[in-house]
Amino acid sequence: MDDVDLSPLRRFVIAKRSISSIFDQLLDFVKDGSAFVDEAWQSDDLGQVAVEEQSLEMQSCATKLATIREVLLRRHMKVAFFGRTSNGKSTVINAMLRDRVLPSGIGHTTNCFLRVEGTDGDEAYLTTEPSNERRSVTTVNQLAHALHMDPTLDSGSLVRVLWPKSRCALLRDDLVLMDSPGTDVTLELDSWIDKFCLDADVFVLVGNAESTLMNTEKLFFHKVSERISKPNIFILHNRWDASVTEPEYIEEVRKQHLDRCVSFLAEELRVVGLDEAAGRIFFVSAKEVLISRMQRAQGMPETGGALAEGFHERLREFQRFERTFEEFISQSAVKTKFEQHTVRAWQISEAIKAVMDAINIASADRKICCLEEREEQRDRLDFVRGQINRLTDSVKERIKTLTEDVSARVATAMTDQIRSLPVLVEEFRADFNPTQETLELYKAKLLQHVEERIIGCLAHRCSVSILRDIRDAQRHMIDSVRPLLSLSVQEQLSAPSSSFDLTYDLGLVALCADFRENIEFQFSLGWTALVTRFIGAADAKRALSSADPRIQEGSNFKDEMVVSMATGLVSVTSRASMTVLIIGGVVWRSVGWRLIALSLSLYGLLYLYEKLTWTNASRERALKQQFMEHAAYRLRTIIPVTSSACSQQVYKELVATFSRLTQRVDLSEAELEGNIRQLSFRIQRLENIQRRSKAFRNRATELETQLEAFSVQYLQGN
């Protein structure tokens, strides 16, 4: 037979240990849950997954559980003994403890409330309310002396007597026995009840078998019944051994006491029914039981000594009282001490489940929002990447078209400017002097003038329209890229820069560096002039000067033929002067001398006229004409280079603009990718919160199962 069968009081101990274990688990669970709710609540980036009220509720639950846990540790079964002075209350307690723990005897021995409980130590001691100082007691006499010698103790004082559990088996099971002064020594019954009785599980009224219940005893329990709903009351008729002196009246007296007590319990107090009241009334002799048990503890026969007749029947009655008392107080104490705490634990568990369910639902809703948002961000990223690829191809094609158009426009404009070069040269005005220094300065100014006018005309004809096209292209790029950018990047997007300006670098000075003017007088009908007019100035110079063969290496076949013919003609003329004279004589004889003389006169007059009119102005005109021809030739050679340079400028400007825009798109893509990563991480955290909230809820359900099992085993049983 196990301990539970041997001692019903063990039921309370086991139940206390069980409920304490549940509350320990529940407290740890709530602390972990509170930390989890705080973490979820303080995660601002997750949204309203948890709110402050839930955090406060979890903290409140933890505080309540800690308080209940402390209360549970102090919980014990408590039985309070009341009765008139010298009715044997202390003796009954000693008999139950199987030792003389409390002072007992004739007279008013208990002058205050004595709370007897067990201690794990080997030394007995007592404490009083004012100081709680431990005062060692080893014998009953020392205890009695300590109680009577303390002037501060009165009937409303409490003295705790802590007796070693090793010396008393009854105290090992969290049982507290409260001895009291006689109910007939004070009128402060209300304060007694409020101070010492509200947490009592059982009340034992110790009466005197030689007298009936007194009004003071009844009054006390009436007051108890007013404050405690249906208190558990046992009535002991002590000193029943006195009845053996009148054996013929034993049953009659017993019936009288029994009827009066049943009436008191069932009809006056109404704490039990008539059929149950008799089971709460016992006729015992505590002194006999105490003596018997002490003798047995000393190894002596328990029936030794002066024990009255019928002792064994009274001993069995006392044992029946103890057994009934233990069974009753165990069940009652478990119910009264743990039922409300079990209900409260259940309520706390339900509250925690509600919090976890709310967090789980909020996390699920938030997760759905994050999943939808992540899907939108991914779709947006795919859209941006696809659009920027298509836009890149479109922009490249547009840039190519625009640069080709710019090249064509610049080439056309330069061709037109070359045609109008005589006008530009003619409108140049500057001091002219055929000296070398003045000529160099004049040519430099002429070059500057012509270059500035050509560049100005090119800018007027081309730059305005080209810049307008560039701005249109840039605006088109920006308008096309803007929908692909995030709002934060769009705010950084600025209008196209207006600092770009198309430049025309003709380099006319370098082009005309080889220009050599010829402003010496040349007769228009002279041989040199005729050759020059026939084959050109450059070829004429080569022909007339028998040019160096190295100069002729680069000439084409046609030019070589012309120069060869002219050179041969000159050579023949110089070598055949006699032939000329002969031909002249033939002419003379054919036309006459007068016509020849007239021709020579006209030829001479023309030569004289031209010689006289060859002034600085003529020289300037000749220089301008020569410069115009040379510059036109050189400018024609750089038309492709200049138009290509302008198109390259436009190309670089547009490519730079689109590159800056694509960088903005890259920033938007990076931002989208970052948002997607954040959302993925947030989804993982929300899933983790969901898993943890479900785990906490399941843990709460497990604890509720334990509470249910505890309730079925200890609270719902008979």
Side-chain angles (χ1 to χ4, degrees):
M1 187 176 294
D2 57 15
D3 291 343
V4 178
D5 294 331
L6 292 175
S7 175
L9 298 179
R10 291 295 298 171
R11 175 184 175 85
F12 177 85
V13 176
I14 296 173
K16 179 180 177 180
R17 186 182 302 127
S18 176
I19 193 65
S20 297
S21 174
I22 294 174
F23 268 86
D24 286 340
Q25 297 177 57
L26 189 57
L27 181 57
D28 292 339
F29 162 71
V30 172
K31 288 180 179 179
D32 293 340
S34 180
F36 163 70
V37 173
D38 288 343
E39 179 184 348
W41 167 51
Q42 294 171 1
S43 299
D44 297 332
D45 58 325
L46 298 181
Q48 292 294 326
V49 175
V51 295
E52 184 178 6
E53 289 74 11
Q54 293 171 336
S55 175
L56 295 176
E57 183 173 2
M58 294 296 293
Q59 294 175 12
S60 175
C61 290
T63 302
K64 292 175 182 177
L65 286 172
T67 302
I68 294 174
R69 180 69 183 88
E70 293 178 0
V71 172
L72 285 175
L73 293 176
R74 297 193 299 268
R75 285 300 189 191
H76 44 256
M77 296 174 287
K78 183 177 180 180
V79 54
F81 293 83
F82 289 93
R84 286 176 295 156
T85 304
S86 298
N87 275 6
K89 298 183 295 296
S90 300
T91 305
V92 172
I93 293 174
N94 287 336
M96 294 176 69
L97 296 176
R98 301 172 183 266
D99 196 1
R100 292 187 182 274
V101 177
L102 299 180
S104 60
I106 300 175
H108 180 200
T109 56
T110 304
N111 61 340
C112 62
F113 278 86
L114 295 178
R115 175 189 171 106
V116 182
E117 55 188 297
T119 177
D120 294 326
D122 296 330
E123 182 181 354
Y125 63 91
L126 63 84
T127 62
T128 57
E129 274 189 330
S131 65
N132 288 327
E133 178 185 356
R134 291 190 178 188
R135 297 162 65 180
S136 178
V137 290
T138 57
T139 64
V140 177
N141 290 333
Q142 287 181 341
L143 178 57
H145 179 74
L147 296 177
H148 286 285
M149 293 302 295
D150 193 338
T152 62
L153 299 177
D154 57 20
S155 61
S157 301
L158 175 64
V159 175
R160 295 178 62 206
V161 179
L162 289 100
W163 202 258
K165 294 180 180 179
S166 59
R167 293 165 57 180
C168 183
L170 191 64
L171 298 178
R172 298 172 189 170
D173 297 327
D174 280 343
L175 179 65
V176 173
L177 300 97
M178 181 74 74
D179 194 7
S180 63
T183 55
D184 54 340
V185 300
T186 182
L187 298 177
E188 300 178 357
L189 299 180
D190 293 328
S191 64
W192 282 13
I193 296 171
D194 294 336
K195 191 174 182 180
F196 304 113
C197 301
L198 294 181
D199 61 340
D201 299 296
V202 172
F203 293 88
V204 178
L205 171 58
V206 181
N208 191 341
E210 298 177 347
S211 65
T212 187
L213 290 177
M214 304 299 292
N215 288 332
T216 56
E217 297 167 323
K218 290 184 177 182
L219 177 62
F220 175 79
F221 281 99
H222 275 292
K223 291 182 177 293
V224 169
S225 182
E226 291 174 0
R227 287 170 170 77
I228 302 175
S229 176
K230 292 188 176 182
N232 301 309
I233 302 174
F234 288 84
I235 299 178
L236 293 183
H237 287 281
N238 194 23
R239 298 180 181 175
W240 188 242
D241 56 326
S243 63
V244 299
T245 58
E246 298 179 356
E248 64 277 11
Y249 300 110
I250 289 179
E251 292 303 323
E252 183 179 350
V253 172
R254 182 186 180 98
K255 187 176 184 308
Q256 291 178 354
H257 286 307
L258 185 62
D259 291 342
R260 290 172 182 172
C261 291
V262 167
S263 176
F264 174 64
L265 293 176
E267 297 177 359
E268 293 187 36
L269 297 180
R270 297 182 179 179
V271 295
V272 292
L274 288 173
D275 55 338
E276 298 177 0
R280 304 285 187 92
I281 303 166
F282 302 90
F283 298 85
V284 299
S285 174
K287 185 175 181 179
E288 286 183 335
V289 174
L290 175 60
I291 293 172
S292 172
R293 289 178 172 176
M294 290 183 65
Q295 288 178 344
R296 183 177 180 181
Q298 295 172 5
M300 300 170 59
E302 63 179 11
T303 57
L307 298 178
E309 184 180 351
F311 162 71
H312 288 289
E313 184 178 348
R314 292 188 294 275
L315 177 61
R316 285 192 296 270
E317 182 82 354
F318 193 86
Q319 291 173 342
R320 188 170 65 87
F321 157 69
E322 288 180 315
R323 185 166 54 253
T324 305
F325 157 77
E326 289 179 1
E327 292 175 353
F328 196 90
I329 194 174
S330 176
Q331 296 177 3
S332 176
V334 168
K335 189 173 183 63
T336 57
K337 295 298 192 298
F338 302 144
E339 185 175 35
Q340 290 302 318
H341 296 322
T342 303
V343 172
R344 192 71 188 104
W346 204 295
Q347 294 172 348
I348 290 174
S349 178
E350 289 294 328
I352 294 172
K353 287 169 61 177
V355 170
M356 295 305 167
D357 287 341
I359 292 177
N360 185 30
I361 293 173
S363 301
D365 292 342
R366 185 60 184 152
K367 176 185 170 183
I368 292 173
C369 294
C370 289
L371 287 171
E372 293 175 351
E373 186 177 355
R374 185 177 67 176
E375 192 63 25
E376 291 176 359
Q377 295 286 332
R378 285 176 174 172
D379 292 342
R380 172 71 177 171
L381 181 59
D382 294 339
F383 170 77
V384 169
R385 287 174 174 171
Q387 284 296 104
I388 195 61
N389 290 334
R390 287 187 287 272
L391 182 60
T392 300
D393 296 337
S394 173
V395 168
K396 285 181 179 179
E397 186 64 28
R398 181 163 183 169
I399 291 176
K400 179 182 177 182
T401 302
L402 184 56
T403 53
E404 291 175 352
D405 182 61
V406 168
S407 179
R409 275 189 277 179
V410 172
T412 302
M414 283 195 66
T415 302
D416 293 343
Q417 289 303 307
I418 291 172
R419 292 195 187 102
S420 64
L421 192 59
V423 178
L424 300 179
V425 174
E426 184 61 31
E427 69 183 10
F428 174 71
R429 296 290 181 268
D431 294 335
F432 180 83
N433 196 300
T435 62
Q436 186 65 32
E437 293 80 5
T438 306
L439 280 176
E440 294 298 330
L441 180 61
Y442 182 88
K443 288 191 293 183
K445 290 182 178 180
L446 178 59
L447 284 169
Q448 182 180 1
H449 167 76
V450 172
E451 186 168 17
E452 288 178 353
R453 288 301 307 275
I454 291 177
I455 291 176
C457 292
L458 289 175
H460 177 72
R461 288 190 58 181
C462 301
S463 294
V464 175
S465 60
I466 291 174
L467 290 177
R468 182 174 60 251
D469 293 342
I470 291 174
R471 298 291 175 266
D472 292 342
Q474 289 176 329
R475 278 192 293 270
H476 175 264
M477 293 179 191
I478 293 174
D479 293 340
S480 300
V481 168
R482 188 184 300 276
L484 307 181
L485 304 179
S486 62
L487 294 177
S488 60
V489 179
Q490 284 185 19
E491 294 175 356
Q492 304 173 7
L493 195 63
S494 58
S497 174
S498 59
S499 60
F500 173 74
D501 194 10
L502 193 63
T503 60
Y504 305 90
D505 186 12
L506 300 179
L508 195 58
V509 175
L511 288 174
C512 296
D514 61 343
F515 171 66
R516 297 292 182 268
E517 74 281 356
N518 181 12
I519 58 175
E520 297 298 329
F521 174 74
Q522 292 183 358
F523 181 43
S524 60
L525 296 179
W527 182 249
T528 302
L530 292 175
V531 173
T532 301
R533 189 175 297 115
F534 178 68
I535 65 174
D539 293 334
K541 184 177 180 181
R542 293 165 54 195
L544 293 172
S545 60
S546 297
D548 188 347
R550 291 175 298 176
I551 302 177
Q552 302 176 11
E553 291 179 359
S555 303
N556 56 35
F557 177 76
K558 183 179 179 180
D559 292 341
E560 290 294 335
M561 290 295 295
V562 173
V563 172
S564 176
M565 292 171 62
T567 303
L569 182 60
V570 172
S571 177
V572 170
T573 303
S574 62
R575 292 195 304 267
S577 57
M578 291 302 293
T579 304
V580 173
L581 291 176
I582 293 172
I583 294 174
V586 173
V587 172
W588 179 288
R589 290 179 65 87
S590 299
V591 298
W593 64 271
R594 290 184 181 86
L595 182 59
I596 294 174
L598 179 61
S599 299
L600 292 175
S601 298
L602 291 174
Y603 187 84
L605 288 173
L606 180 61
Y607 176 84
L608 181 62
Y609 173 76
E610 289 184 3
K611 183 67 174 178
L612 291 175
T613 58
W614 187 253
T615 62
N616 287 340
S618 300
R619 293 185 179 92
E620 183 179 9
R621 283 194 299 272
L623 186 145
K624 286 183 177 181
Q625 181 63 29
Q626 295 171 17
F627 173 79
M628 182 270 297
E629 294 175 355
H630 184 82
Y633 172 74
R634 292 297 188 188
L635 287 173
R636 288 189 188 94
T637 61
I638 66 167
I639 287 177
V641 177
T642 304
S643 60
S644 177
C646 292
S647 66
Q648 282 297 315
Q649 294 179 54
V650 174
Y651 175 80
K652 290 180 180 179
E653 174 66 16
L654 293 177
V655 168
T657 300
F658 189 67
S659 177
R660 289 192 295 270
L661 292 174
T662 54
Q663 289 176 0
R664 294 288 187 270
V665 175
D666 291 340
L667 290 177
S668 295
E669 289 184 4
E671 185 175 336
L672 287 171
E673 291 172 350
N675 291 339
I676 291 172
R677 286 193 298 271
Q678 289 181 357
L679 287 169
S680 298
F681 179 64
R682 196 174 299 167
I683 290 169
Q684 291 178 356
R685 293 175 61 192
L686 289 169
E687 290 175 346
N688 183 46
I689 289 177
Q690 280 189 280
R691 286 193 297 269
R692 292 178 65 186
S693 63
K694 290 178 181 178
F696 276 111
R697 194 190 190 286
N698 293 337
R699 179 58 178 153
T701 303
E702 292 175 3
L703 291 172
E704 285 184 353
T705 302
Q706 295 185 35
L707 289 171
E708 176 67 22
F710 176 84
S711 177
V712 170
Q713 183 175 0
Y714 295 105
L715 302 180
Q716 298 178 8
N718 293 326

